[in-house]
Amino acid sequence: MGGMLVTGGAGFIGTNFVRLALAEGHDRVTVLDALTYAANRTSLDGLDPHRFRLVEGSVCDASVVDELVADHDVVVHFAAESHNDNSLRDPSPFVQTNLVGTYTLLEAVRKHGTRYHHISTDEVYGDLELDDPARFTESTPYNPSSPYSASKAGSDLLVRAWVRSFGVQATISNCSNNYGPYQHIEKFIPRQITNVLSGIRPKLYGAGANVRDWIHVTDHNRAVLRILEAGRVGETYLIGADGEKDNKSVIELVLTLMGQPADAYDHVNDRAGHDLRYAIDSSKLRTELGWAPTYRDFESGLAATIYWYRANEDWWRPIKAATEAKYAAAGQ
Ligand code: NAD
Ligand code: DAU
């Protein structure tokens, strides 16, 4: 008994979270991960087997979930289908994992009285106009656009209902776009880095005016640890680092940092229903919990991320051709 159960810990943010939590002195961390296409078991290589364990299984499997929840003090729920483009091709695993999986965990934490933290996204709020001075806050109405963001919005609402109706000890965080090491190469930044490293021209959806609010994955995870320490049960916290950038600028910066001409990329088909802009106001997290981002310079964080993909080609090379084939079939 005791310790932290981390779902989805073999994915991008979960892997970084497990590594940070162990480094910060958490002495028993168990990952429950279905090891889908998005996971990479090697991301968790080298962790102390006395303090860390990986269980292969689904958050939709009530008996595995019940047994593991019963044996831990805290659950941090990262597991999800996470990629918008995939949700447009086939929404079904999104409904299953993001909604049924969250429901399954909520029932287990309800039964065992376990503290639960729910990882969510700023996409639940829909999008903003480019020239809108407003940013998302904890009271912005939900207005999701894609099957992915709708399934995440639904999962957040389940958590809120389980808090109110059953007194579950839960907190929720909604974070903006993460970047950093161990991110699947289907996502925007690592796709372009590994394209350049493979001699493929980077691919920009549409005109690239869409804005994302970038945050380094370690800053996201430090905020989650802080919420576990001092967050108020029943509350939602928005996590963001004032990192708004349009996609065209990001692709040009990747190319420049990699020694290529800034315009050496292709425009490809736009995403259906493509959200225009996300922007987070993280005042609540900053004032109430004293969190602040440590990666304040996007360019140097991006340079370090490029370095990581250069140095870890074994990690991504085996899935590059299949990832690009999926995009090529969609004209992207
Ligand atoms: P990811 O796709 O890299 O990893 C998801 C992990 O969940 C994978 O290891 C996968 O195997 C696992 N998983 C999927 N279905 C499962 C199931 N049924 N049972 C158990 N494990 C399962 O995703 P990520 O980018 O690390 O995102 C993690 C969480 O953070 C998600 O909840 C996502 O919505 C949220 N989030 C992501 C971002 C971002 O920028 N990536 C921003 C805000 C919030
Ligand atoms: O805002 C948080 C969300 O950020 C998370 O909830 C999601 O899990 C995460 O995947 C991310 O969603 P996005 O759809 O914003 O991320 P993605 O990396 O897919 O795309 C970022 C932007 O770049 C988006 O405007 C689409 C664009 N894009 C994407 C790809 C893959 C391109 O222009 N070219 C590409 O090749």
Side-chain angles (χ1 to χ4, degrees), residues 79-220:
E81 286 291 335
S82 68
H83 193 41
N84 277 298
D85 292 321
N86 294 342
S87 82
L88 295 163
R89 289 180 202 119
D90 178 12
S92 84
F94 290 76
V95 172
Q96 189 61 26
T97 289
N98 300 359
L99 287 163
V100 177
T102 299
Y103 159 75
T104 307
L105 282 160
L106 285 170
E107 283 295 82
V109 296
R110 166 154 90 111
K111 177 171 161 197
H112 298 287
T114 313
R115 173 81 171 85
Y116 172 88
H117 181 71
H118 186 72
I119 303 291
S120 193
T121 167
D122 59 356
E123 295 192 14
V124 300
Y125 300 114
D127 61 353
L128 299 161
E129 293 299 326
L130 293 179
D131 57 358
D132 188 342
R135 299 191 291 171
F136 300 137
T137 71
E138 287 77 4
S139 52
T140 303
Y142 275 37
N143 187 25
S145 312
S146 73
Y148 162 68
S149 46
S151 67
K152 292 296 292 188
S155 73
D156 293 10
L157 298 180
L158 290 176
V159 178
R160 290 183 184 193
W162 262 242
V163 168
R164 176 151 174 172
S165 304
F166 306 124
V168 160
Q169 303 286 296
T171 40
I172 300 175
S173 55
N174 298 80
C175 188
S176 60
N177 285 65
N178 286 215
Y179 73 97
Y182 300 104
Q183 185 167 29
H184 194 285
I185 59 167
E186 68 189 349
K187 303 296 197 302
F188 180 49
I189 288 178
R191 182 182 182 205
Q192 315 315 333
I193 295 170
T194 56
N195 275 352
V196 174
L197 294 176
S198 306
I200 302 169
R201 282 165 69 90
K203 308 286 185 238
L204 185 66
Y205 292 178
N210 309 65
V211 170
R212 296 295 181 264
D213 190 351
W214 294 98
I215 181 172
H216 193 276
V217 63
T218 302
D219 281 331
H220 178 184

Side-chain angles (χ1 to χ4, degrees), residues 3-326:
M4 193 188 291
L5 176 64
V6 179
T7 72
F12 163 45
I13 306 177
T15 287
N16 281 283
F17 179 80
V18 166
R19 291 183 170 279
L20 181 67
L22 290 168
E24 302 268 295
H26 286 266
D27 58 9
R28 182 169 174 252
V29 176
T30 304
V31 164
L32 172 63
D33 198 299
L35 301 179
T36 70
Y37 84 93
N40 190 328
R41 192 191 271 273
T42 69
S43 304
L44 296 165
D45 277 355
L47 297 177
D48 178 356
H50 301 293
R51 299 165 65 211
F52 168 75
R53 178 164 75 112
L54 169 63
V55 176
E56 182 175 351
S58 174
V59 290
C60 302
D61 181 337
S63 68
V64 172
V65 165
D66 185 77
E67 196 180 311
L68 286 172
V69 169
D71 194 35
H72 293 82
D73 299 324
V74 182
V75 176
V76 186
H77 179 34
F78 287 95
E81 286 291 335
S82 68
H83 193 41
N84 277 298
D85 292 321
N86 294 342
S87 82
L88 295 163
R89 289 180 202 119
D90 178 12
S92 84
F94 290 76
V95 172
Q96 189 61 26
T97 289
N98 300 359
L99 287 163
V100 177
T102 299
Y103 159 75
T104 307
L105 282 160
L106 285 170
E107 283 295 82
V109 296
R110 166 154 90 111
K111 177 171 161 197
H112 298 287
T114 313
R115 173 81 171 85
Y116 172 88
H117 181 71
H118 186 72
I119 303 291
S120 193
T121 167
D122 59 356
E123 295 192 14
V124 300
Y125 300 114
D127 61 353
L128 299 161
E129 293 299 326
L130 293 179
D131 57 358
D132 188 342
R135 299 191 291 171
F136 300 137
T137 71
E138 287 77 4
S139 52
T140 303
Y142 275 37
N143 187 25
S145 312
S146 73
Y148 162 68
S149 46
S151 67
K152 292 296 292 188
S155 73
D156 293 10
L157 298 180
L158 290 176
V159 178
R160 290 183 184 193
W162 262 242
V163 168
R164 176 151 174 172
S165 304
F166 306 124
V168 160
Q169 303 286 296
T171 40
I172 300 175
S173 55
N174 298 80
C175 188
S176 60
N177 285 65
N178 286 215
Y179 73 97
Y182 300 104
Q183 185 167 29
H184 194 285
I185 59 167
E186 68 189 349
K187 303 296 197 302
F188 180 49
I189 288 178
R191 182 182 182 205
Q192 315 315 333
I193 295 170
T194 56
N195 275 352
V196 174
L197 294 176
S198 306
I200 302 169
R201 282 165 69 90
K203 308 286 185 238
L204 185 66
Y205 292 178
N210 309 65
V211 170
R212 296 295 181 264
D213 190 351
W214 294 98
I215 181 172
H216 193 276
V217 63
T218 302
D219 281 331
H220 178 184
N221 285 331
R222 282 195 196 287
V224 173
L225 286 173
R226 186 71 195 125
I227 293 166
L228 287 172
E229 233 168 43
R232 284 180 295 139
V233 163
E235 294 289 317
T236 290
Y237 296 89
L238 262 53
I239 305 174
D242 300 335
E244 283 187 68
K245 303 223 162 353
D246 65 64
N247 293 341
K248 184 168 178 289
S249 309
V250 173
I251 218 165
E252 288 174 354
L253 185 57
V254 168
L255 281 159
T256 305
L257 289 172
M258 296 184 79
Q260 306 289 316
D263 62 355
Y265 63 87
D266 296 330
H267 292 274
V268 293
N269 288 343
D270 207 348
R271 176 182 284 172
H274 198 173
D275 278 343
L276 199 47
R277 172 173 160 249
Y278 307 138
I280 291 259
D281 177 347
S282 58
S283 307
K284 178 176 174 182
L285 177 72
R286 291 169 191 247
T287 52
E288 210 178 276
L289 301 183
W291 173 90
T294 53
Y295 289 78
R296 290 165 195 277
D297 177 23
F298 180 69
E299 187 168 329
S300 58
L302 185 58
T305 304
I306 292 169
Y307 179 83
W308 189 89
Y309 283 91
R310 275 193 202 283
N312 290 280
E313 193 162 331
D314 291 355
W315 185 89
W316 59 266
R317 179 63 72 191
I319 58 167
K320 183 64 182 169
T323 305
E324 285 309 307
K326 212 162 55 174

